Each structure stands twice: as structure tokens, then as C-alpha cells.
Amino acid sequence: MKKITCTAPVNIALIKYWGKRDEKLILPINSSLSITLDQNQLCATTTVTAGADLNEDRIWLNGLEESISKPRIQNVLKEIRCRSKLSELDEFAHVHIVSTNNFPTAAGLASSAAGYACLVFALAKLYEVDGEISDIARLGSGSACRSIYGGFVEWKKGTSVDGVDSHAVQIENNSYWPQLRILILVVNASKKSVSSTSGMQTSVATSDLLKTRSENIVPARLDEAKLAIKEKKFHDLTNIIMQESNQLHAICLDTLPPILYLNDVSKTIMKLVHQVNDYFGVNKLCYTFDAGPNAFIIVEEDNVPLVYNLIKTYFPPANKDSFLHGLEISEEETSQNLIEFIRMEPTPGAIDYVIHTKVGSGPQVLNR
Ligand code: PMV
């Protein structure tokens, strides 16, 4: 028996991927940019086993057996076997895959990105496939290609019809901007209503705004974001991040029928972020939302206690003891002037819990 266990991270897009130009190869209509999150707080763990006595491929996700014949899983397996010298050997004919997430699946927390990145990374180790593998992860779920690297990662859309140049590249590693922290405000951890796959298809078919975005907006914005990262300009970068999030959700609204991922709590969080930034006259924090209502708040380490306190003030937790997950946060009083400036009514119980994390590294081998 050959067996290997790996972990892979979640990533959150700063420049969003929304829309494919090729459904089967999962080729995007625009490039995107993300930060990889620390696997100590959020990760997928996958064990792959191969052996001559296995007589079929099988997969279990979070304890339940799933169909191995899903086209995306098949495409990944096919590509790994095609690139491996070991595929012809009897002991590599079949694999068993067991994968778990340590966070809610399909709640807008990029579980498929971590899951497919982990599957591809583990299979590549098992089948001894070297070189670029982010393009194989892309075949599972587009955003999964960015989870193959740590730190700041760009997914280059590529121009080739066969997708060879559509893969991820690391822009900076996870220790480049060590002060950055991410607070994930889990608003509603239930399954999302419209999958990103079907949402994108409808947007590509019906949204005029989407065409303008991919052709005229993203290329310049991506350059600006990369420059802001290079120069570590938090204020400039966070403005771009918020505009990007808002444009993704504007496109969802421009889609027919419209797709509404944000709920009232998400909007209240956005309002709070802008009020705080207005008060200070410079961005102390920003939000970004993927295909779900949960907010990803990006903030520098020094301002985490301030932001966490504001969250607890305006969204008083139903259960104080299990509200904070992940990295610890020290207590700090919020200034009365700020509270008076914000003038918002608290919404008790609207945020289920908070995950405090930071920028992290790429997939790891846990054991062989
Ligand atoms: O890779 P998918 O199909 O889960 O799509 C991800 C889409 C967004 O999360 C909304 C944006 C992104 O770039 O991650």
C-alpha cells in the first residue's frame, strides 16, 4: 500500500474570478488575485491510498462516500495519471481518497478550493508528478489553483485554448506582510443557494457589466493591486479590495435572474467598515465577500482588538464563549468618540462566530 496525507489552505480573492470562457477546462474570463489563509485555522486534509488490492477508485468527503464519477474528479484523476510514470503499475491502478474540512462546506468559505488543491497536491505526491500542478487543481475548481501556493497568488487567465497558460503564480510568500490579519465573520454557515458554477454561467449569459469588467476594468485593477502590495500601501490595497467585492456583487445583481449572496447582516458589516474608516480618515480595515454572506475583514495586527471590539459591540454574540475561533485577541476599550460617530443600532446574534487567521503557506505533506 502507498499512502500519503496532505493538507491544503483556503484562499480569499482580492481581485475576483467570476465567469468562465471554457466550462470544461475551467478557463476564466479574467485573471484574479488572492491571499492564502493559514492552515492552522482553515484547511482541507486528504489521504490518498493506492495498492494492488484496490479494485476501484472511491472517494469519501467529510465521512460520507461520494460519487467518484463526477466529471471534475475524473478530469483531475485523468490528468494526474496522464502525467505520471507510475500509472501503468498495478499498485497505482486505483486510489481511495478520504477528505475532510475543518470548517463548514459550501458556506462561501472556499471549501472546494481547499479540497481540490489538497486532492491534486496529494495525488501528485503519490503518483510522483513534478512541476506545475496548479493547472490540474484548476480542473477541479477554478479558485483551487490559487490554493496551490501560499502568500499572495495570481491566477493568470492565459490565452491558449487548451488552458496550458492558465495557472497560478506566487507573487509574494506568506511572510511578506506579516502584520496582515483576516477576521472571517460567519454570518450564516448553512449551504449557499446558488453555486458559483451556475451563478457564473448565468452572469456570463446575461450581464453586460461582466463583459465591461473583464475587458476594461480588471487588467488595470490587477496592476494597481499588485503595485499596492509591492509598496505595502494598506489604504490603497483595501480600497481596491472593497471595490472588487462590490463589483462582483453588482454583477450578480445585473444577472438575470439576479443572484443575491449578500444579506442584511453583510450590508450592515459593510456600513460599519466604512463608518470606522471615515472616522479615522484612512482605511483601518476592509471587507470582501465571495459567493456567500460571510465577511472577510482584512486588518493589520495592531488594529485587530479595535475591530473585534466593534464587532462585539454592534453584533453582540449569542454565545460569548464560542464566538472567537483561531488566533487570540487582546481586550481593548473602544473610544466613546468612535461609538458616538458610528451611530448604529446593535444587531444581537447576527454573526454566528468569528475566525481570526492570517496569511499562510501552501499545501503540506502531513505524513506518508
Ligand atoms: O472556484 P469557484 O468555482 O468556487 O469560484 C470562486 C468564485 C469566487 O469565490 C466568488 C471568487 C474567487 O475568485 O474566488
Side-chain angles (χ1 to χ4, degrees):
M1 284 282 197
K2 298 259 182 241
K3 185 172 171 174
I4 187 157
T5 301
C6 299
T7 63
V10 162
N11 71 77
I12 175 71
L14 311 182
I15 302 285
K16 307 289 186 184
Y17 146 56
W18 196 253
K20 299 177 182 66
R21 64 175 198 278
D22 185 310
E23 288 287 332
K24 183 164 180 281
L25 293 173
I26 312 196
L27 300 176
I29 57 170
N30 62 263
S31 296
S32 54
L33 179 75
S34 59
I35 44 177
T36 296
L37 305 185
D38 192 343
Q39 293 172 68
N40 285 317
Q41 282 76 50
L42 298 164
C43 75
T45 304
T46 303
T47 302
V48 286
T49 312
D53 31 345
L54 303 185
N55 45 26
E56 58 179 339
D57 293 331
R58 293 175 74 179
I59 186 165
W60 290 261
L61 297 181
N62 292 316
L64 293 177
E65 181 155 19
E66 300 262 332
S67 165
I68 192 81
S69 53
K70 282 189 184 146
R72 290 178 179 204
I73 299 174
Q74 285 301 316
N75 290 345
V76 162
L77 280 169
K78 219 161 81 192
E79 194 57 34
I80 288 279
R81 286 171 172 150
C82 179
R83 292 190 202 183
S84 170
K85 294 189 289 288
L86 307 176
S87 307
E88 302 297 308
L89 304 174
D90 267 0
E91 52 175 323
F92 286 94
H94 297 291
V95 283
H96 282 185
I97 301 159
V98 178
S99 189
T100 54
N101 289 329
N102 64 354
F103 55 92
T105 305
L109 295 184
S111 59
S112 67
Y116 275 109
C118 205
L119 174 64
V120 168
F121 186 78
L123 286 173
K125 293 284 172 209
L126 188 82
Y127 280 86
E128 296 175 13
V129 172
D130 297 325
E132 185 60 52
I133 55 164
S134 70
D135 57 331
I136 312 179
R138 192 201 72 224
L139 297 172
S141 164
S143 57
C145 74
R146 298 187 311 237
S147 276
I148 290 291
Y149 298 104
F152 292 78
V153 184
E154 180 182 353
W155 172 11
K156 293 193 177 286
K157 71 181 177 92
T159 51
S160 174
V161 283
D162 60 4
V164 284
D165 55 353
S166 187
H167 61 85
V169 288
Q170 185 181 59
I171 299 199
E172 299 290 352
N173 72 20
N174 61 309
S175 44
Y176 172 72
W177 197 332
Q179 298 84 0
L180 287 189
R181 293 290 177 274
I182 300 93
L183 291 166
I184 307 171
L185 313 188
V186 180
V187 167
N188 177 350
S190 65
K191 239 171 135 62
K192 67 191 172 204
S193 51
V194 180
S195 72
S196 50
T197 302
S198 85
M200 282 183 208
Q201 280 170 355
T202 325
S203 292
V204 169
T206 62
S207 169
D208 293 333
L209 232 148
L210 184 76
K211 293 181 192 70
T212 308
R213 163 177 165 74
S214 60
E215 286 163 20
N216 306 326
I217 300 173
V218 176
R221 222 175 234 182
L222 187 64
D223 286 346
E224 283 166 32
K226 287 202 280 191
L227 185 67
I229 292 167
K230 193 169 167 226
E231 296 178 345
K232 292 193 183 160
K233 288 194 169 157
F234 185 82
H235 180 83
D236 295 355
L237 180 62
T238 48
N239 270 343
I240 298 169
I241 294 170
M242 291 190 283
Q243 282 180 303
E244 262 300 298
S245 174
N246 294 341
Q247 191 162 86
L248 166 68
H249 295 281
I251 282 166
C252 289
L253 197 60
D254 188 47
T255 298
L256 212 64
I259 309 162
L260 305 167
Y261 289 121
L262 306 179
N263 63 20
D264 286 348
V265 182
S266 320
K267 290 172 200 164
T268 311
I269 294 167
M270 290 164 65
K271 196 170 143 194
L272 176 64
V273 169
H274 287 294
Q275 304 259 44
V276 177
N277 287 338
D278 277 356
Y279 175 83
F280 287 101
V282 61
N283 292 352
K284 294 279 183 190
L285 72 162
C286 77
Y287 54 78
T288 184
F289 298 84
D290 275 349
N294 303 317
F296 291 74
I297 301 291
I298 302 172
V299 53
E300 287 186 300
E301 191 180 9
D302 289 354
N303 293 317
V304 168
L306 166 90
V307 170
Y308 184 59
N309 229 352
L310 288 167
I311 293 165
K312 283 193 297 184
T313 305
Y314 292 101
F315 304 96
N319 186 343
K320 278 200 181 80
D321 297 333
S322 56
F323 195 57
L324 179 65
H325 296 236
L327 305 171
E328 281 179 26
I329 302 175
S330 55
E331 289 290 331
E332 192 184 282
E333 283 286 301
T334 309
S335 96
Q336 209 44 47
N337 285 347
L338 176 55
I339 299 286
E340 276 164 27
F341 182 87
I342 291 174
R343 285 180 190 280
M344 257 173 56
E345 288 304 315
T347 323
I351 293 174
D352 282 351
Y353 59 96
V354 174
I355 306 170
H356 181 206
T357 186
K358 57 187 172 131
V359 181
S361 58
Q364 318 273 332
V365 175
L366 211 60
N367 53 54
R368 289 175 190 265

